[in-house]
Amino acid sequence: MEPIIDYPTLRVIWWGLLGVLLIGLAIMDGYAMGAMSLLPFAGKTDGERRALINSVAPTWEGNQVWLILGGGAIFAAWPFVYAVSFSGFYLAMFLVLAALILRPVAFKYRSKKPGTTWRRNWDWALFAGGFIPALVFGVAVGNVLSGAPFHLDSDLRTTYDGGTFMSLLRLFTPFTLLCGLTSVAMLVMQGAAFLAMKLEKGTAYDRVMTYGSVAALLTIVLFAIGYVFVRFSGLGFQVVAEVLPSGASNPTRAEVVPAAGAWLNNFGKHPWMWAGPALGFAGAALAALSLRLRLAFPAFLASSLSLAGIVSTVGLSMFPIILPSSVDSRSSLLVWTASSSHMTLGIMLLVTVVFLPIVLLYTAWVYKVLFGRVGVATVSSSPDYY
């Protein structure tokens, strides 16, 4: 019996689904990271900071499902990618994990004592729990675009070049830091847009709108600088050996070599792909305008579209490459050479079709139940708030 969906198509579908999960992570968990990155600056009094915290606290934890789904999808659909990235970038991921662990602890303990120093320290812990993951996720994307220093032997065992400490330092280069700052700017924009829908009008609200509009403009500038860097720095990789899309997964079947500006080749071959960067720029511009005009929902929608455009730009520019090797042309991971089996991808797709709509419907119901604005007077008068 012939399968309903052929192997090459399933591979592309899962490449697209991975992109959808990463976009969902950026939009849903991104607003919590961005909002907490704003906390020490937008909230000047204890009441204002409590209002900011309680705008995010009821929903941030549920948004971790996007992180779990993304990691699970990589593990199950792209095992080679999981093995290389989670081992080679181990210290960076541990840094993100530590920051994410710090965030719920800070939420719980921040208002347990009335002392100013106690609360200020936990506020900075919440800032770290938002800022560090936002920065490191962007740095990780920059390292993917730059190529990771790994190679596979004849038994497909992975070796990551460089020591553990040096491998962490290698993650931070001018280009990867640019990607990290772009990530911080766009998530702060997203956080401000979310807070625009949740905060009652007041001085903290006004500060959030100001910082958010500045972050949106910075997103445009940094995204444009990233394009210039890719265009003129010689950054890029391209496949030079023909790969059979329906062949068995074996990364050593492909040959991928560095090529100046190759990350822009797909946009020349498929002009429709320019919709990704266009959406990134236009969404950020509309978000900046909406925040200046105090239009909360349009700002959040425009910011979300900008994030979707920026994340999709990375994926579209790299296709069919998922993770290039900077040291071995025969070790790069492609859509056609690094996936799980046909049966595995088919079963996973069936499970996704059944359960992903349930997750989305439940999430929508939760946000409907928790709809409403948070004010300084409300959180200050009740001990039940963080």
Side-chain angles (χ1 to χ4, degrees):
M1 180 179 177
E2 290 293 326
I4 298 175
I5 304 176
D6 60 73
Y7 198 16
T9 303
L10 263 179
R11 284 167 157 165
V12 174
I13 289 174
W14 269 103
W15 171 81
L17 282 174
L18 179 58
V20 169
L21 293 175
L22 293 177
I23 290 171
L25 173 64
I27 292 174
M28 300 304 294
D29 199 26
Y31 76 70
M33 297 179 199
M36 292 302 96
S37 297
L38 283 171
L39 178 64
F41 313 103
K44 298 300 184 181
T45 67
D46 181 68
E48 289 176 349
R49 293 185 180 187
R50 289 186 68 190
L52 266 69
I53 290 170
N54 284 280
S55 297
V56 172
T59 56
W60 77 270
E61 195 167 13
N63 292 329
Q64 300 304 298
V65 69
W66 295 100
L67 181 62
I68 297 169
L69 288 175
I74 295 174
F75 172 78
W78 312 100
F80 286 107
V81 178
Y82 182 90
V84 172
S85 59
F86 278 68
S87 59
F89 301 150
Y90 177 79
L91 289 179
M93 292 186 177
F94 181 82
L95 182 62
V96 170
L97 182 61
L100 293 178
I101 292 173
L102 184 61
R103 184 162 52 176
V105 176
F107 275 130
K108 295 295 184 182
Y109 281 92
R110 191 263 179 198
S111 295
K112 293 296 184 182
K113 292 173 62 177
T116 302
T117 302
W118 171 272
R119 293 189 174 188
R120 184 187 300 115
N121 289 338
W122 285 116
D123 288 339
W124 283 107
L126 284 169
F127 167 80
F131 178 83
I132 291 175
L135 179 68
V136 175
F137 284 147
V139 168
V141 171
N143 276 274
V144 170
L145 290 169
S146 301
F150 71 94
H151 67 270
L152 303 171
D153 62 18
S154 58
D155 295 321
L156 300 183
R157 292 176 299 190
T158 304
T159 300
Y160 194 86
D161 294 350
T164 54
F165 181 70
M166 288 304 297
S167 67
L168 179 62
L169 294 180
R170 286 180 181 179
L171 296 178
F172 297 92
T173 67
F175 176 69
T176 61
L177 285 174
L178 172 64
C179 294
L181 293 175
T182 304
S183 174
V184 170
M186 69 185 198
L187 295 187
V188 168
M189 169 184 68
Q190 182 76 354
F194 180 79
L195 290 173
M197 297 189 298
K198 292 296 293 182
L199 286 176
E200 290 183 356
K201 303 294 178 66
T203 53
Y205 175 89
D206 292 335
R207 293 191 203 101
V208 165
M209 300 304 101
T210 300
Y211 289 134
S213 59
V214 171
L217 295 176
L218 282 175
T219 299
I220 295 172
V221 172
L222 293 171
F223 192 32
I225 294 174
Y227 167 79
V228 173
F229 197 106
V230 171
R231 176 68 177 83
F232 296 105
S233 70
L235 188 67
F237 292 84
Q238 66 179 6
V239 182
V240 295
E242 184 177 358
V243 179
L244 187 65
S246 59
S249 290
N250 183 347
T252 59
R253 291 193 298 117
E255 184 175 0
V256 178
V257 298
W263 289 143
L264 301 177
N265 290 347
N266 279 348
F267 297 100
K269 297 175 183 177
H270 310 286
W272 64 267
M273 289 185 177
W274 285 106
L279 192 61
F281 283 117
L286 288 174
L289 179 61
S290 298
L291 287 168
R292 295 292 293 178
L293 297 176
R294 306 298 194 261
L295 301 174
F297 182 73
F300 186 77
L301 178 60
S303 177
S304 298
L305 291 175
S306 178
L307 266 60
I310 293 172
V311 173
S312 63
T313 295
V314 176
L316 292 171
S317 67
M318 294 181 62
F319 185 85
I321 302 171
I322 299 179
L323 182 62
S325 170
S326 60
V327 296
D328 183 12
S329 63
R330 289 287 183 178
S331 295
S332 294
L333 308 179
L334 277 63
V335 170
W336 317 124
T337 64
S339 74
S340 293
S341 68
H342 192 174
M343 178 179 293
T344 299
L345 295 182
I347 294 173
M348 287 174 56
L349 181 61
L350 177 62
V351 173
T352 301
V353 169
V354 173
F355 287 101
L356 186 57
I358 297 175
V359 172
L360 294 174
L361 287 172
Y362 178 74
T363 301
W365 177 78
V366 168
Y367 277 85
K368 180 179 181 298
V369 171
L370 297 174
F371 182 78
R373 293 185 178 271
V374 179
V376 174
T378 303
V379 298
S380 299
S381 62
S382 174
D384 295 328
Y385 289 93
Y386 291 118

